[in-house]
Amino acid sequence: MGSLSLDNFHARKRKAMVKLMKGKEIAVQLQTLLHENSEPVTEQQLAFQIYRSFSDTLSELSSCTTQIPAVEGGASASSSDDTRKKKMKKKRGVKDLRGCYKRRRTSDSWVTLSPSMEDNYAWRKYGQKSILNSDYPRSYFRCTHKQDGCKALKQVQRIRGDEIMYQTTYLIHHTCNETLRTRPLIVDSDPIDPNLISFQTSITLEQDQHCNHSSKKPLIVSSVKHEICVSEDASHEAKSTLEDPWNEITGLDTLGYKPVWTPYQDEVESASLDGLHMEVNQLCGIQNFHYFDDHMY
DNA sequence: AAGATTTGACCTCG
DNA sequence: CGAGGTCAAATCTT
């Protein structure tokens, strides 16, 4: 039985939405500035405000998520086929599996809530487990391209809130470049859909030489856990410690697409905000959000 | 036939 | 010791 009120959940949800809307407004301002080629200091300030806004939101959602009422009742929803069970009952040869796997450390994971299990990666289910005090079993998925070395994992569990939602815990980033489908890159904010924003601040050093925007340096966004800082300098050192900021912030892999910028890419465009874009309405609907698993386990 | 899913067994960790 | 994560044989789907 969930001991926490749904009212509290909804209040926090509203609060988060307000903050996200603020972030959106600031993003629009930033876009305007970028188009007008204004002084970079202001751009940085705005960029920082955007990240701060999202960061605050995520903190809010983190505490909110931990309070999603746990569903009572322990029975899993397994619809079991008896005949099949009998067949499966056959004891398999006992193998010594000791040491064959380790229980996973829970750091470097993130969680999303979504009305669908869909993301844009190909997953293969490798297990399902009834979870204590949960109506629904938890499903375990690994990347279809495991044989290619991709160790991405996710766990999906249906939860019951005000609507049917799936909580997806991603444990390891994809190292493969495979997505199920590729959606078009959003190049700019869409005048038709103002909820669509895009950050086109990407100026690589190389590009920089080809244009006269010498004042525009690659924007570094380093993110270590909850701390997000923006810096102007694109040093190699910064690169090595970077995580995908958009993953960190949204858990969406930039709209759930193949990440434009991953820690695994050798040719990182100097940690610029290349291709950083999102649909704010997706977030405003709280269809997806994430938190670090510190709160979860 | 090959790949995906199901599910009981077995493992680790708290 | 129990909960939860993973393995892998059996089964299903394409």
Side-chain angles (χ1 to χ4, degrees):
Chain A
M1 167 72 80
S3 57
L4 296 142
S5 73
L6 273 176
D7 287 345
N8 191 14
F9 175 75
H10 289 306
R12 287 175 178 275
K13 183 173 165 180
R14 277 191 295 273
K15 200 171 171 182
M17 289 172 66
V18 168
K19 291 193 175 186
L20 282 169
M21 291 308 292
K22 183 186 173 188
K24 179 189 162 189
E25 287 173 18
I26 298 169
V28 171
Q29 291 178 43
L30 175 58
Q31 280 194 306
T32 307
L33 272 177
L34 290 174
H35 285 153
E36 292 171 2
N37 199 17
S38 302
E39 71 266 39
V41 176
T42 311
E43 292 169 16
Q44 286 171 36
Q45 287 172 342
L46 285 172
F48 181 76
Q49 283 182 55
I50 292 169
Y51 273 93
R52 184 60 183 268
S53 179
F54 286 130
S55 181
D56 287 349
T57 305
L58 289 166
S59 301
E60 203 64 49
L61 291 174
S62 301
S63 47
C64 159
T65 311
T66 58
Q67 295 181 15
I68 290 172
V71 219
E72 73 268 45
S76 78
S78 56
S79 58
S80 45
D81 178 359
D82 279 352
T83 55
R84 180 175 190 163
K85 273 188 176 174
K86 281 172 190 168
K87 287 177 189 172
M88 295 293 292
K89 205 106 186 184
K90 195 182 350 174
K91 179 123 180 167
R92 75 176 187 215
V94 179
K95 291 181 181 177
D96 187 2
L97 296 173
R98 273 173 295 188
C100 67
Y101 70 91
K102 288 260 183 198
R103 181 169 287 202
R104 213 159 278 288
R105 288 194 62 225
T106 54
S107 60
D108 194 30
S109 68
W110 67 101
V111 176
T112 68
L113 275 186
S114 167
S116 138
M117 293 171 66
E118 279 287 313
D119 51 25
N120 295 287
Y121 287 95
W123 297 97
R124 179 169 177 170
K125 189 174 182 178
Y126 67 89
Q128 178 171 304
K129 198 71 181 162
S130 298
I131 300 301
L132 194 69
N133 296 326
S134 177
D135 273 354
Y136 305 104
R138 178 175 299 167
S139 298
Y140 300 87
F141 298 86
R142 67 167 58 99
C143 179
T144 302
H145 305 94
K146 186 193 178 188
Q147 72 277 6
D148 298 332
C150 182
K151 294 176 180 174
L153 291 177
K154 74 170 181 180
Q155 301 171 0
V156 178
Q157 188 165 11
R158 207 171 133 182
I159 60 175
R160 201 168 58 188
D162 47 344
E163 54 186 320
I164 299 301
M165 298 288 278
Y166 293 92
Q167 176 180 294
T168 304
T169 303
Y170 295 88
L171 296 165
I172 299 177
H173 286 276
H174 282 271
T175 53
C176 64
N177 289 321
E178 294 293 328
T179 53
L180 289 180
R181 58 181 182 272
T182 311
R183 293 189 233 173
L185 184 69
I186 301 160
V187 176
D188 207 345
S189 62
D190 189 337
I192 298 172
D193 181 0
N195 287 330
L196 219 51
I197 62 175
S198 168
F199 298 85
Q200 291 294 312
T201 64
S202 168
I203 308 275
T204 64
L205 293 172
E206 192 173 306
Q207 289 169 322
D208 206 11
Q209 293 171 349
H210 288 80
C211 66
N212 292 324
H213 302 158
S214 56
S215 62
K216 289 190 177 182
K217 295 180 183 175
L219 197 60
I220 293 277
V221 179
S222 62
S223 164
V224 180
K225 285 293 178 185
H226 296 285
E227 295 178 53
I228 296 173
C229 59
V230 180
S231 125
E232 197 181 8
D233 184 53
S235 70
H236 179 74
E237 183 186 3
K239 260 196 244 178
S240 63
T241 57
L242 287 177
E243 299 263 40
D244 180 345
W246 209 245
N247 278 342
E248 296 266 317
I249 288 169
T250 65
L252 286 178
D253 286 354
T254 54
L255 264 183
Y257 311 158
K258 163 186 161 185
V260 176
W261 175 40
T262 79
Y264 312 104
Q265 285 176 307
D266 288 334
E267 293 188 20
V268 180
E269 293 196 342
S270 291
S272 64
L273 289 177
D274 191 16
L276 210 54
H277 49 265
M278 66 174 293
E279 284 172 315
V280 166
N281 57 343
Q282 206 169 2
L283 285 166
C284 288
I286 314 294
Q287 291 176 345
N288 291 283
F289 62 84
H290 91 299
Y291 57 94
F292 295 98
D293 62 322
D294 318 344
H295 307 287
M296 189 180 174
Y297 296 94

